[in-house]
Amino acid sequence: MSNIDPVSGYPAHDQQPGPARPRDHQATARRTALTICTIADVAAGLLGLWIVLYLLDANRGNAFVQFVHGMADWLSGWAQDIFVMDTEGLRVALNYGLPAVLYLLIGHGIALRINRA
């Protein structure tokens, strides 16, 4: 049986539920875990995209670039100016990269915990 699952490490739909979990509870937990992973991935993706756009010197007058920058500012508002340095590109990479990594770690950790409960 092959596990071709978008979220590795979680049991596939065709696997039998554990003895202590009814099938409905397992399906609900799995959907919740997948939703949390997706939200964490989108947040980290937007932050990573802003880092790439900044480093490639994207046109800040463009509506898409403005949207990504606004979302990245909102998602990383709590982490702004943790790192203050002379190199602007490195400052942006660290101040937006740290929240991206934390969102991934925390989101996937919570999803794993929900799925194993």
Side-chain angles (χ1 to χ4, degrees):
M1 191 178 324
S2 129
N3 186 3
I4 52 171
D5 205 10
V7 182
S8 63
Y10 300 114
H13 287 287
D14 57 351
Q15 292 178 348
Q16 294 298 319
R21 285 176 81 173
R23 184 171 284 290
D24 290 342
H25 184 289
Q26 182 183 19
T28 302
R30 178 158 170 68
R31 281 193 302 272
T32 303
L34 188 59
T35 301
I36 291 171
C37 283
T38 302
I39 291 169
D41 291 346
V42 168
L46 283 168
L47 290 165
L49 181 59
W50 169 243
I51 293 170
V52 170
L53 289 173
Y54 183 85
L55 293 176
L56 294 176
D57 200 26
N59 177 11
R60 295 204 188 164
N62 181 284
F64 176 71
V65 175
Q66 288 176 353
F67 170 76
V68 172
H69 186 206
M71 291 301 295
D73 279 345
W74 183 76
L75 287 167
S76 66
W78 58 270
Q80 289 299 310
D81 297 327
I82 288 179
F83 302 101
V84 180
M85 49 198 60
D86 294 332
T87 308
E88 190 66 19
L90 183 59
R91 184 191 68 79
V92 168
L94 290 174
N95 283 326
Y96 289 94
L98 175 67
V101 169
L102 288 176
Y103 285 139
L104 285 175
L105 290 174
I106 292 170
H108 284 264
I110 290 171
L112 185 63
R113 180 75 177 153
I114 288 172
N115 207 32
R116 291 184 188 249

